[in-house]
C-alpha cells in the first residue's frame, strides 16, 4: 500500500517546504514502526520546483511478510503491495490511515513552527494512490472528494491486466489534485475517506472512533453531502455510534453554520428520519414528543426555556397551532445562533410577530414569562447545580405558572446502552447530574405537589425493558386547586 503527496513551488515558495510541513526531512529515508507494521517515508523528488513524499506501508502479517520478502519489496513495492491488496483488501486502507495519523500527526493538526504561514495556506497538491480499494467505485470516489475541492481522476484497476475480459477489480487508481487546500486539510480528508472507501469491517470500532472522526472531520465533514455515508461507514455501520456522531455533527455544524447551511441540516434530519435502517436521532424524537404533548395540551402560546440554538422554536414555528413562541436562554451565543437559524432579521412581519428570543436566567423570577399556556424545559434542568434547582422550580412553576410544563431530561440508567460513554460518565460535559427514572419521578412528584400540578411521565426513544428510555419526559398540568405549598405547609 502506498501513497504519494506532491507539491510544486518556486524560488519564493520552494516545494521542499513540504518537508517542513510534514515534519519529515527530504534528505532522510525514515521508518516508523506502527502497531501494524513499518511505515517508510521517502522523497523520490525534492527540489525547488517539485517535491514528492511517499508513504509506504510494510504490513506486519506473517503471510504478507513472507510474500513481501519473497517478491523483493524494495524492487517493486507497487506490485508487491497490489498482491497484498488483492489478498487482504479490507486491511489496506485502514492501515494506511493509521500510518498517516501516526507518521504525520503534527502535520494533520496543521502545526508547523518552521513554516507557520505555509501551513495555513492552500498549496498546489497532488495525491496519488495507485491501488485504492473503493467499494462504490470511481463514482463514489468522486462524490466523496469533489465536494472538498479536489479534482479527481479515478481509474478502475482491471482484475488482471493479462485478462481484461475478467473486468475491473474493486480497486481504483486515484489521483487527487487541488490548489485550494492546506496540507493538514488534505491529510485529514485522506485519513477519514480512505477507510470509508475501503468500507472495512474487520476491526473493532471502539467508542473513541467517534471522537477521532469528529476531530479529523472538523471544518469539512459537517455539511459534506455524503456526511451520512461517511459517518456510518467510518463507524462500521454501528448505528448507535453513527447516530451519536450525526447528532454531534449537527451541533457542530449549527455552531459554524450560516443561515443557508441551517436549512440544509433540517432537511438532512428529516431525510434521516425517513430512512428506515437509520434510527431517528434522539434530538428529533424529543422534539416530536414535545410538540405532540403541547398539541395534546392545546397550548398555543409557548415558552421554550433554555431554548439553546433554537431547534424546537423552529419546529414550533412551522406549526400554525402555536401562535406565540418565546425562546429564553442565558447564553447570548446560543441565542445568536438561534436567531440566525430562524432568520429573524429577514422574517416576514406575520411570522416575526409569532416569535421572540429573550435572554434571561431561569433561576430568577421574570415578569416577561407570565401568562403563557405552556413552558418547555428540554434537557435544561440537568445543566443547573442541584442547589439552584429550587430557584428554577419557583421561577417556572410558582411565578411564570403556565398551565402546562414539559420537562425532559436524560435517564442515567440508559447510559450503559450508549456505546461511546465510559462507565459512570454523564452524556454531556456540562451536565451537573443525571437522574434515574425513580429520581426524576421523585423530583417531579415533589414539584407537582408543591405547586399544585398533576404530573404524568412519558418515555422518549426506545423504551428498554431493563434500563428504560434514553430520555424521560414529565408533563405537568396545573390542577384546579391552585394553592402553592407542600401538604404540611398547606395544613399549617
Ligand atoms: N432546550 C435545548 C437546549 C438544551 S441545552 C434542547 O433541548 O436542545 C441547555 C440549555 O439551557 C443551554 O442552552 C443553556 O445555555 C441553557 N441554560 C442553562 N442554565 C440556564 C439558566 N439558568 N437560565 C437559562 N438558560 C439556561
Amino acid at each position: 500500500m502506498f501513497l504519494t503527496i506532491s507539491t510544486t513551488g518556486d524560488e519564493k515558495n520552494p516545494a521542499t517546504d513540504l518537508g517542513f510541513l510534514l515534519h519529515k526531512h527530504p534528505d532522510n529515508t525514515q521508518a516508523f514502526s506502527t502497531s501494524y507494521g513499518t511505515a517508510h517515508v521517502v522523497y523520490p523528488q525534492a527540489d525547488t520546483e517539485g517535491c514528492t513524499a511517499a508513504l509506504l506501508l510494510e504490513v506486519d502479517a506473517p503471510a504478507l511478510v513472507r510474500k513481501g520478502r519473497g517478491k523483493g519489496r524494495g524492487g517493486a513495492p507497487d506490485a508487491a503491495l497490489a498482491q497484498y491488496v488483492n489478498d487482504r483488501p479490507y486491511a489496506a486502507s485502514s492501515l494506511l490511515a493509521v500510518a498517516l495519523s501516526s507518521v504525520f500527526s503534527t502535520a494533520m493538526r496543521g502545526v508547523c513552527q518552521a513554516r507557520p504561514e505555509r501551513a495555513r495556506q492552500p498549496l498546489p497538491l497532488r495525491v496519488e494512490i495507485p491501488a485504492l480499494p473503493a467499494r462504490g467505485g470511481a463514482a463514489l470516489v468522486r462524490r466523496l472528494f469533489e465536494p472538498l475541492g479536489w479534482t479527481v481522476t479515478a481509474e478502475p484497476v482491471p482484475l488482471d491486466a493479462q485478462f481484461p475480459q475478467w473486468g475491473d477489480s474493486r480497486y481504483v487508481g486515484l489521483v487527487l489534485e487541488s490548489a485550494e487546500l492546506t496540507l493538514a486539510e488534505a491529510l485529514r480528508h485522506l485519513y477519514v475517506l480512505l477507510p470509508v472507501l475501503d468500507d472495512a469491517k474487520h476491526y473493532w470500532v471502539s467508542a473513541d472512533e467517534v471522537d477521532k472522526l469528529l476531530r479529523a472531520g472538523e471544518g469539512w465533514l459537517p455539511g459534506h453531502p455524503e456526511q451520512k455515508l461517511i459517518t456510518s461507514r467510518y463507524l462500521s455501520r454501528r448505528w448507535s455510534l453513527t447516530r451519536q456522531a450525526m447528532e454531534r455533527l449537527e451541533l457542530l455544524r449549527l455552531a459554524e453554520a450560516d443561515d443557508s447551511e441551517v436549512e440544509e441540516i433540517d432537511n438532512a434530519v428529516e431525510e434521516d428520519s425517513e430512512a428506515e435502517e437509520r434510527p431517528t436521532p434522539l434530538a428529533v424524537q424529543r422534539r416530536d414528543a414535545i410538540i405532540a404533548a403541547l398539541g395534546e395540551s392545546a397550548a398555543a402560546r409557548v415558552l421554550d426555556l433554555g431554548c439553546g440554538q433554537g431547534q424546537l422554536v423552529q419546529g414550533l414555528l412551522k406549526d400554525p397551532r402555536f401562535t406565540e413562541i418565546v425562546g429564553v436562554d442565558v447564553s447570548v451565543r446560543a441565542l445568536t445562533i438561534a436567531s440566525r437559524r430562524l432568520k429573524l432579521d429577514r422574517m416576514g412581519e406575520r411570522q416575526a410577530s409569532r416569535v421572540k428570543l429573550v435572554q434571561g436566567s431561569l433561576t430568577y423570577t421574570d415578569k416577561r414569562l407570565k401568562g403563557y399556556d405552556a413552558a418547555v424545559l428540554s434537557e435544561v434542568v440537568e445543566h443547573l447545580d442541584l442547589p439552584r434547582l429550587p430557584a428554577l422550580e419557583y421561577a417556572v412553576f410558582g411565578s411564570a405558572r403556565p398551565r402546562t410544563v414539559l420537562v425532559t431530561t436524560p435517564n442515567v440508567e440508559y447510559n450503559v446502552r450508549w456505546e461511546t460513554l465510559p462507565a459512570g460518565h454523564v452524556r454531556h460535559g456540562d451536565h451537573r447530574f443525571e437522574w434515574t427514572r425513580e429520581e426524576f419521578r421523585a423530583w417531579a412528584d415533589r414539584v407537582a405537589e408543591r405547586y399544585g400540578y398533576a404530573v404524568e411521565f412519558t418515555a422518549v426513544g426506545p423504551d428498554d425493558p431493563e434500563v428504560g428510555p434514553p430520555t424521560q419526559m414529565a408533563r405537568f398540568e396545573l390542577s384546579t386547586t391552585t394553592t402553592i405549598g407542600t401538604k404540611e405547609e398547606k395544613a399549617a
Side-chain angles (χ1 to χ4, degrees):
M1 191 79 197
F2 94 116
L3 164 159
T4 58
I5 304 171
S6 312
T7 189
T8 51
D10 51 32
E11 290 300 330
K12 201 165 140 263
N13 285 315
T16 43
D17 278 356
L18 185 64
F20 287 108
L21 298 175
L22 289 172
H23 297 256
K24 301 289 172 275
H25 199 290
D27 290 347
N28 301 340
T29 303
Q30 296 155 88
F32 305 85
S33 60
T34 71
S35 47
Y36 294 98
T38 310
H40 301 271
V41 179
V42 294
Y43 284 79
Q45 185 194 3
D47 52 48
T48 309
E49 285 77 39
C51 184
T52 297
L55 175 68
L56 287 100
L57 204 62
E58 198 173 23
V59 180
D60 201 5
L64 261 165
V65 172
R66 261 201 326 274
K67 251 180 219 153
R69 287 200 181 132
K71 294 209 156 89
R73 177 167 299 253
D78 193 354
L81 286 161
Q83 184 89 35
Y84 164 64
V85 165
N86 275 320
D87 288 347
R88 304 274 301 273
Y90 53 82
S93 290
S94 50
L95 296 187
L96 191 64
V98 169
L100 268 178
S101 72
S102 56
V103 174
F104 298 133
S105 63
T106 318
M108 242 167 93
R109 281 184 279 120
V111 176
C112 180
Q113 258 147 28
R115 297 285 186 279
E117 69 296 340
R118 291 281 268 161
R120 280 192 297 270
Q121 281 162 6
L123 298 179
L125 286 171
R126 178 185 164 94
V127 173
E128 214 170 325
I129 307 173
L132 174 73
R135 202 169 150 267
L140 181 62
V141 175
R142 276 192 285 275
R143 265 157 53 209
L144 294 182
F145 283 100
E146 279 175 352
L148 299 172
W150 291 102
T151 304
V152 178
T153 315
E155 299 288 346
V157 174
L159 208 49
D160 191 314
Q162 288 175 353
F163 300 98
Q165 66 273 27
W166 289 3
D168 291 332
S169 65
R170 62 183 284 252
Y171 305 92
V172 298
L174 176 64
V175 179
L176 299 171
E177 287 165 297
S178 175
E180 296 169 25
L181 299 164
T182 66
L183 181 65
E185 287 168 329
L187 291 173
R188 292 192 285 115
H189 295 166
L190 295 170
Y191 172 75
V192 173
L193 295 180
L194 300 186
V196 162
L197 281 164
D198 195 4
D199 203 12
K201 289 190 207 106
H202 67 291
Y203 61 91
W204 174 247
V205 174
S206 62
D208 62 352
E209 294 284 318
V210 175
D211 291 329
K212 283 187 198 158
L213 174 65
L214 295 185
R215 259 200 312 273
E218 195 188 325
W220 65 270
L221 184 53
H224 191 294
E226 296 293 342
Q227 177 183 309
K228 275 190 275 186
L229 177 139
I230 295 168
T231 306
S232 87
R233 278 199 185 187
Y234 187 90
L235 298 169
S236 295
R237 296 194 172 76
R238 288 186 64 193
W239 290 121
S240 58
L241 295 186
T242 304
R243 189 179 53 218
Q244 286 178 59
M246 291 297 288
E247 284 198 23
R248 286 172 59 184
L249 281 168
E250 190 189 335
L251 287 175
L252 278 176
R253 182 154 147 208
L254 283 173
E256 294 165 2
D258 68 27
D259 315 14
S260 59
E261 282 181 322
V262 169
E263 212 150 66
E264 284 167 24
I265 301 162
D266 289 332
N267 295 339
V269 167
E270 266 153 33
E271 266 171 38
D272 202 39
S273 50
E274 278 162 23
E276 230 188 318
E277 73 279 25
R278 285 169 203 187
T280 311
L282 185 58
V284 176
Q285 296 189 46
R286 201 156 43 221
R287 286 202 284 284
D288 291 348
I290 290 167
I291 291 176
L294 289 172
E296 281 172 32
S297 298
R301 304 178 61 238
V302 179
L303 298 167
D304 182 9
L305 305 177
C307 64
Q309 300 177 347
Q311 291 93 329
L312 177 64
V313 172
Q314 188 174 41
L316 294 170
L317 259 176
K318 285 187 188 146
D319 190 327
R321 287 176 299 178
F322 306 110
T323 57
E324 199 181 330
I325 305 143
V326 180
V328 181
D329 207 284
V330 74
S331 158
V332 175
R333 185 175 148 68
L335 290 172
T336 307
I337 295 169
S339 149
R340 275 213 308 250
R341 153 194 285 279
L342 299 167
K343 304 190 178 82
L344 275 191
D345 54 338
R346 281 182 279 140
M347 209 175 244
E349 218 170 289
R350 248 186 77 193
Q351 277 296 73
S353 70
R354 287 174 63 206
V355 62
K356 211 161 46 180
L357 296 178
V358 301
Q359 200 222 348
S361 174
L362 300 170
T363 48
Y364 296 91
T365 58
D366 188 336
K367 286 203 291 283
R368 295 174 298 177
L369 308 186
K370 285 181 193 258
Y372 285 84
D373 297 332
V376 179
L377 286 158
S378 164
E379 309 296 284
V380 172
V381 291
E382 66 276 8
H383 289 264
L384 273 81
D385 288 319
L386 271 174
R388 298 294 295 147
L389 204 49
L392 173 141
E393 294 161 18
Y394 177 70
V396 175
F397 295 88
S399 168
R401 214 160 168 68
R403 204 179 63 228
T404 303
V405 181
L406 299 177
V407 179
T408 77
T409 193
N411 162 23
V412 71
E413 295 165 81
Y414 192 87
N415 287 3
V416 293
R417 296 283 184 270
W418 295 118
E419 281 141 89
T420 52
L421 265 190
H425 279 57
V426 294
R427 291 180 206 176
H428 185 284
D430 191 45
H431 286 182
R432 307 304 160 90
F433 59 87
E434 285 176 354
W435 278 326
T436 61
R437 283 167 290 175
E438 201 183 306
E439 286 166 328
F440 181 50
R441 275 166 191 268
W443 171 81
D445 285 338
R446 189 175 50 69
V447 170
E449 192 206 317
R450 179 172 189 100
Y451 292 102
Y453 283 76
V455 62
E456 275 175 20
F457 300 89
T458 319
V460 182
D463 197 351
D464 186 286
E466 224 175 292
V467 296
T471 298
Q472 36 190 353
M473 179 160 84
R475 180 167 142 207
F476 299 80
E477 295 287 345
L478 194 59
S479 313
T480 35
T481 43
T482 53
T483 46
I484 297 177
T486 61
K487 272 195 201 110
E488 293 74 30
E489 283 166 353
K490 281 177 200 159

